[in-house]
């Protein structure tokens, strides 16, 4: 606890984005710009079967007919999609072309990020898929997982080794027609994680994917697919960082989750993409579509997210509660500081009987930032006796930031109950002085109060993530008061 | 001398509340400050603790030989000044345990000590909880959130016991307490009295002073100490009421 505490204080006083370094590594890239050739290039690079190329091209043609969505409470600058590199992969060095060999330069990059890819050095209980720019560089603990017939690999590998599963599920939850960024992702997605938990298997370790953007001028378009068969369980976590650059970089991901009878998936995110500098220059544009379906009865999906990074966040992880008695949960802490903008929330679509959903959203705004909650709770006619409880709290630090709530509730039957609670509060001078008077300086006091405010959500995170997330909240708000 | 206040003037939003106050407190002494509402008792307490919007326009607060007029409040706390608040604020989601451990470690870091071990901390908690007769489960709850008036005040005394200050200023700790809670709070304070540490007890009524016997009693009126005496002054005040002071002042 000793050095831990000191580290936090150091980090708070320095307050810089500490993942902002660039790894100098030879890259293989697609030519800049987006057209059918780009898509064919990516598909060929990945040696994809025809059905996938077709899927990409259809998505691309559809995307070209679409317009950038403008309904969110965000100021999104014009994005020139021809000014982005859609594929960037670290070049493999010749002598390293064994299966398990990873370029030491990349290992070092992940070490610097606090992610060791050497299994013996890792804390037990977490398997990692490490993705840099457009490709996965290593997935750990493959052997352990194979013993349980669990498939956990990069999306690219899944396409090669389990094309039937990919074909069966890809785009079934988030079709490419879903939205602008989903269409874009479906056209150019590069890599992501694939996870398949067979019937009756409780995944013995946490699965996690670590996303890193490294190359300049590139976009990251990852795609992940999680399938939990009957009576299975998995807890999955993702983390992400990027270098500090003056220009904005695009990140548009899709995550699809399919959960069958009596199965459960816990999905946790700590999103820490580069947020831009104190004046709002640079940062990642984060446009993400995450959705899961509780397809089977008594199934459960819970999304937990801690969002501290990105210049712009546009993200609404949702659950389609199709199976009777299925349960959806969304727990979110979203922090915006300086000139960051976030429009995030959840969609809960109740279709099955006796379905239940809970939305807990905690927004924290500081500096000149804007933080919006946007939610949709839809209870269909057939979804009798369904319930939703939503709680949206906003905490304001300072008087130049904004917090907004846009809840949509749509109930089509009379036996269901929907509750929505919302609060807005500020950290008061009296609270800060109370802490000061006990010997706690203002910076630590804010950290303490914010962590207390977010506790309900933080406690849902897996242990491995919780400590990291707490520190992150404090660092993200450095210099936000006073 | 532990605390020496000379000709102190304090304003809130340009309105002068404390108007030339002198007070000296030595180690081991208990001072009671009494007076009618709105005469500057709480303002004095806040000024000593260093709250930002309480501006010292004149005079000095000297603590342990150093002028602390410009010392940040957290450093005053770490130097051993504790304020028991009249209205303790709620801090949702922050457990008393977490709050106290953070505070103690900040104090220790200031003194160049390593953070307290989990075991030592728990032992200390148990010991101090007994001292102020607070229930075990209270410390698991968020700071002051949903506490009754009595629980809030007991929590202040508990925190005082944990932080072991040299100078404790207790601002109307007795207000809103029933007789049992009052006895518990007073017992706590009495047990914490040593030759080294001093108390400034701000109170409206003489009631608390039946349990805590002060060495000095001061009467604050219109931002100044207008009368000082021994413990008998408190009884006299109770008997004659504050009008006695008011009349004397307006004469």
């Amino acid at each position: 606890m000793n050095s831990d505490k000191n580290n936090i204080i150091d980090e708070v006083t320095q307050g810089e984005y500490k993942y902002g370094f660039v790894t100098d590594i030879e890259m293989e890239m697609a030519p800049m710009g987006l057209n059918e050739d780009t898509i064919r290039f990516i598909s060929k690079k990945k040696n994809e079967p025809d059905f996938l190329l077709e899927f990409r091209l259809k998505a691309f043609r559809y995307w070209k007919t679409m317009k950038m969505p403008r309904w969110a409470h965000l100021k999104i600058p014009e994005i020139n999609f021809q000014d982005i590199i859609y594929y960037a992969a670290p070049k493999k060095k010749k002598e390293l072309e064994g299966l398990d060999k990873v370029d030491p330069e990349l290992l070092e990059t992940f070490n610097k990020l606090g992610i060791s890819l050497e299994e013996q050095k890792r804390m037990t209980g977490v398997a990692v898929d490490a993705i840099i720019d457009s490709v996965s560089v290593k997935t750990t603990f493959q052997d352990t997982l194979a013993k349980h017939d669990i498939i956990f690999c990069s999306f690219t590998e899944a396409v090669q080794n389990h094309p039937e599963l990919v074909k069966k599920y890809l785009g079934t939850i988030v079709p490419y027609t879903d939205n602008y960024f989903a269409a874009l992702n479906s056209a150019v997605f590069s890599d992501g994680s694939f996870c398949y938990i067979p019937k009756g298997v409780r995944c013995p370790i946490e699965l996690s994917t670590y996303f890193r953007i490294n190359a300049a001028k590139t976009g990251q378009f990852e795609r992940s697919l999680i399938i939990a068969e009957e009576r299975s369980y998995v807890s999955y976590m993702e983390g992400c960082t990027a270098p500090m650059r003056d220009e904005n970089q695009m990140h548009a991901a899709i995550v699809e989750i399919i959960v069958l009878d009596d199965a459960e998936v816990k999905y946790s995110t700590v999103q820490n993409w580069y947020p831009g500098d104190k004046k709002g220059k640079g940062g990642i544009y984060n446009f993400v579509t995450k959705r899961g379906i509780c397809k089977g009865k008594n199934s459960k999906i819970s999304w937990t997210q801690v969002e501290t990074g990105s210049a712009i966040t546009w993200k609404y992880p949702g659950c389609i509660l199709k199976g009777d008695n299925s349960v959806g949960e969304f727990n979110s802490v979203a922090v915006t500081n300086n000139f960051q903008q976030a429009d995030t929330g959840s969609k809960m679509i109740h279709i099955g009987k006796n379905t239940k959903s809970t939305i807990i959203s905690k927004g924290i705004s500081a500096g000149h930032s804007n933080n919006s909650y946007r939610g949709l709770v839809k209870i269909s006619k057939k979804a009798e006796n369904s319930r939703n409880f939503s709680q949206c709290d906003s905490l304001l630090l300072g008087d130049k930031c904004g917090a907004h709530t846009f809840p949509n509730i749509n109930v089509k039957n009379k036996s269901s109950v929907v509750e929505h609670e919302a609060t807005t509060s500020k950290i008061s001078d009296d609270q800060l002085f109370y802490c000061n008077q006990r010997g706690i300086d203002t910076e630590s006091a804010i950290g303490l109060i914010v962590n207390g405010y977010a506790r309900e959500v933080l406690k849902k995170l897996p242990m491995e993530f919780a400590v990291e997330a707490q520190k992150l909240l404090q660092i993200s708000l450095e210099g936000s008061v006073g | 001398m532990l605390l020496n206040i000379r000709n102190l003037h304090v304003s809130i939003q340009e309105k002068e509340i404390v108007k030339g106050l002198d007070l000296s407190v030595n180690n081991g002494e208990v001072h009671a400050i009494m007076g009618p509402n709105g005469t500057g008792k709480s303002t004095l307490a806040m000024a000593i603790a260093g709250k930002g919007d309480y501006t010292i326009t004149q005079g000095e607060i000297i603590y342990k030989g150093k002028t602390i007029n410009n010392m940040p409040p957290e450093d005053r706390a770490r130097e051993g000044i504790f304020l028991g608040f009249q209205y303790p604020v709620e801090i949702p989601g922050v457990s008393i345990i977490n709050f106290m451990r953070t505070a103690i470690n900040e104090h220790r870091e200031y003194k160049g000590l390593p953070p307290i071990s989990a075991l030592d901390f728990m032992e200390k908690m148990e010991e101090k909880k007994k001292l102020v007769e607070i229930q075990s489960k209270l410390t698991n709850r968020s700071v002051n959130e949903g506490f009754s008036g009595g629980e809030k005040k007991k929590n202040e005394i508990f925190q005082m016991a944990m932080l072991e200050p040299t100078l404790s200023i207790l601002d109307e700790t007795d207000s809103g307490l029933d007789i049992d809670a009052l006895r518990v709070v007073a017992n706590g304070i009495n047990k914490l009295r040593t030759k080294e540490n001093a108390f400034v007890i701000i109170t409206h009524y003489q009631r608390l002073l039946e349990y805590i016997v002060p060495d000095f009693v001061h009467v604050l009126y219109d931002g100044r100490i207008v009368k000082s005496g021994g413990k008998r002054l408190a009884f006299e005040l109770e008997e004659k009421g504050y009008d006695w002071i008011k009349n004397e002042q307006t004469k």
Side-chain angles (χ1 to χ4, degrees), chain B residues 163-178:
Chain B
L163 294 170
E164 298 169 338
T166 317
L167 174 66
S168 301
I169 303 151
L170 302 173
D171 189 4
E172 302 216 14
T173 301
D174 53 335
S175 65
L177 293 187
D178 62 35

Side-chain angles (χ1 to χ4, degrees), chain A residues 280-294:
Chain A
K281 196 167 191 197
I284 303 292
Y285 293 160
N286 189 35
F287 297 98
V288 173
T289 308
K290 289 180 168 176
R291 198 172 302 148
I293 183 166
C294 285

Side-chain angles (χ1 to χ4, degrees), chain B residues 26-154:
Chain B
N26 289 305
N27 294 76
E29 292 176 351
V30 175
H31 291 243
I33 294 183
M34 302 182 72
N37 281 330
T39 51
K41 300 194 298 294
S42 290
T43 303
L44 173 65
M46 289 297 190
I48 297 171
K51 191 161 197 263
D53 37 1
Y54 291 70
T55 315
I56 298 175
T57 53
Q58 256 191 78
E60 274 185 305
I61 303 173
I62 301 162
Y63 173 72
K64 290 185 181 169
K66 270 188 287 185
T67 302
I68 58 165
N69 288 23
N70 296 316
M71 190 187 266
E74 61 271 24
D75 285 348
R76 298 187 199 196
R78 294 161 184 168
E79 288 285 349
I81 296 176
F82 178 90
L83 172 61
F85 286 83
Q86 185 177 4
Y87 305 109
V89 294
E90 300 186 359
I91 309 178
V94 178
S95 69
I96 293 180
I97 296 179
N98 188 11
F99 185 66
M100 272 294 101
R101 202 174 63 181
T102 306
I104 284 177
N105 283 337
E106 298 254 342
H107 281 246
R108 290 177 66 93
E109 192 180 312
Y110 185 76
K111 296 186 181 88
L113 296 169
I116 190 167
S117 76
L119 190 68
D120 288 351
F121 178 75
M122 292 319 282
E123 276 177 4
K124 187 169 185 166
M125 284 248 304
E126 288 312 311
E127 180 201 326
K128 306 297 184 186
K129 273 199 262 188
K130 275 192 199 118
L131 193 83
V132 291
E133 299 177 40
I134 65 170
Q135 285 170 335
S136 261
K137 58 184 181 204
L138 197 72
T139 46
N140 291 323
R141 284 168 55 185
S142 298
V143 177
N144 295 321
E145 197 184 26
F147 283 23
S148 69
E151 283 170 334
K152 281 183 183 171
K153 295 300 171 73
K154 280 190 195 174

Side-chain angles (χ1 to χ4, degrees), chain B residues 18-33:
Chain B
V18 173
K19 304 169 181 174
L21 181 143
D22 298 281
L23 177 69
S24 303
V25 179
N26 289 305
N27 294 76
E29 292 176 351
V30 175
H31 291 243
I33 294 183

